[in-house]
Amino acid sequence: MAPPLLLAVGRARGGPEAALFEHHNARLRPSLVLRELPEGRGSPAEMRRREGAAILAALPESALAIALDLGGEMPDSERLAALTAKWADTARPLAFVIGGAEGLDEAVLARADHRISLGRLTWPHMLVRGLLAEALFRAQCIRTNHPYHRAWRPG
């Protein structure tokens, strides 16, 4: 099966956000294939529309699309591990989608097979790449019983 795709608006130009993504992505098996898309220009609505058109054009037709969206399900790590296992069982190529600073266009959200949120906080879209890679690595560790994830909770 093809490695999962990460469609992300914007070009990383080094720095700590890119390093965070590279660090956690290198630990994933298989690693995410990052495809950066240009940021849109114009009003916020026009930016979302242009970025959305680019995302939809880059999204493989058969892909199971997972949109990173504030309005999506907020799984904990164990739930994300279960979701990733379920998605893998579909045998469809996975594609994670991160919009630009203005978020995702409604057309992209309508195409998404699943929406997840990394919590109620708003994160810079360049930082979301690293957070997603770490969350996916943690989910992978949970599924394989690797000790990276510590399931205990202070009581």
Side-chain angles (χ1 to χ4, degrees), residues 91-103:
R92 291 171 62 192
L94 296 181
F96 294 90
V97 179
I98 300 171
E102 299 298 333

Side-chain angles (χ1 to χ4, degrees), residues 7-11 35-39 51 54-56 58 129:
L7 297 175
V9 172
R11 305 249 185 261
R35 181 155 179 213
E36 295 180 313
L37 302 170
E39 293 176 339
E51 293 167 358
I55 290 167
L56 292 173
R129 298 172 185 199

Side-chain angles (χ1 to χ4, degrees), residues 135-155:
L136 292 174
F137 176 68
R138 183 176 298 274
Q140 193 172 73
C141 288
I142 290 168
R143 290 193 324 268
T144 60
N145 294 313
H146 186 280
Y148 178 80
H149 177 70
R150 293 166 180 84
W152 63 268
R153 299 263 195 291

Side-chain angles (χ1 to χ4, degrees), residues 87-148:
W87 297 334
D89 286 346
T90 69
R92 291 171 62 192
L94 296 181
F96 294 90
V97 179
I98 300 171
E102 299 298 333
L104 290 169
D105 188 66
E106 284 300 319
V108 175
L109 295 174
R111 165 59 178 88
D113 296 285
H114 203 87
R115 296 182 198 181
I116 60 171
S117 172
L118 298 178
R120 292 181 171 208
L121 297 173
T122 301
W123 297 104
H125 65 284
M126 287 294 173
L127 186 56
V128 170
R129 298 172 185 199
L131 296 173
L132 175 64
E134 193 285 335
L136 292 174
F137 176 68
R138 183 176 298 274
Q140 193 172 73
C141 288
I142 290 168
R143 290 193 324 268
T144 60
N145 294 313
H146 186 280
Y148 178 80

Side-chain angles (χ1 to χ4, degrees), residues 39-48 50-51 102:
E39 293 176 339
R41 301 281 182 239
S43 69
E46 185 63 18
M47 289 172 69
R48 278 190 306 276
R50 289 175 188 219
E51 293 167 358
E102 299 298 333

